[in-house]
């Protein structure tokens, strides 16, 4: 059974940094695009960053461009999200997701495996 497990969330002050990690098992995740989504309290889940199956193409939500970096290590079945210059608006539960496609998209429906989420809280 395919499984994704996130880690690395926590409480950080405005301007701080965090690195999220996601480890996959039960499926060859390296054959597919992966992404990070997030959901803030009272809001819809939204796309944060995506990376193609081989890591050559990345995409970011406008709100995180220049501050967040997505990366993957296919040999280890790992996905990462380096977050810098964090703001209170970045507070959310962050989810790792694996796609059915080679290229990352912003559409949740293209992702068929999800982690349980990790909480990121940015204090002002």
């Amino acid at each position: 059974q395919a499984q994704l497990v996130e880690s690395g969330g926590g409480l950080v002050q405005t301007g701080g940094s965090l690195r999220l990690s996601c480890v996959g098992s039960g499926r060859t995740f390296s054959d597919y695009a992966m992404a990070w989504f997030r959901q803030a309290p009272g809001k819809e889940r939204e796309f944060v960053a995506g990376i193609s199956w081989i890591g050559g193409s990345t995409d970011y939500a406008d709100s995180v461009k220049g501050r967040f970096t997505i990366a993957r290590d296919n040999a280890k079945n790992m996905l990462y999200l380096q977050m810098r210059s964090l703001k209170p608006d970045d507070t959310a539960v962050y989810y790792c997701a694996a796609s059915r496609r080679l290229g990352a998209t912003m559409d949740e429906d293209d992702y068929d495996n999800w982690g349980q989420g990790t909480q990121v809280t940015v204090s002002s």
Side-chain angles (χ1 to χ4, degrees), residues 50-116:
I51 187 166
S52 62
W53 70 289
I54 205 168
S57 175
T58 57
D59 197 12
Y60 297 92
D62 287 343
S63 59
V64 307
K65 277 181 184 174
R67 299 189 298 122
F68 291 11
T69 303
I70 188 171
R72 67 190 298 166
D73 184 339
N74 285 341
K76 298 179 180 178
N77 251 7
M78 293 292 296
L79 180 71
Y80 304 99
L81 185 69
Q82 179 68 53
M83 306 185 293
R84 297 182 176 87
S85 301
L86 283 161
K87 308 173 182 179
D89 283 350
D90 295 318
T91 295
V93 177
Y94 283 71
Y95 298 91
C96 168
S99 176
R100 297 188 297 268
R101 300 177 180 272
L102 297 179
T105 65
M106 296 184 179
D107 187 349
E108 283 189 32
D109 291 338
D110 287 335
Y111 297 84
D112 56 359
N113 286 118
W114 294 82
Q116 82 289 350

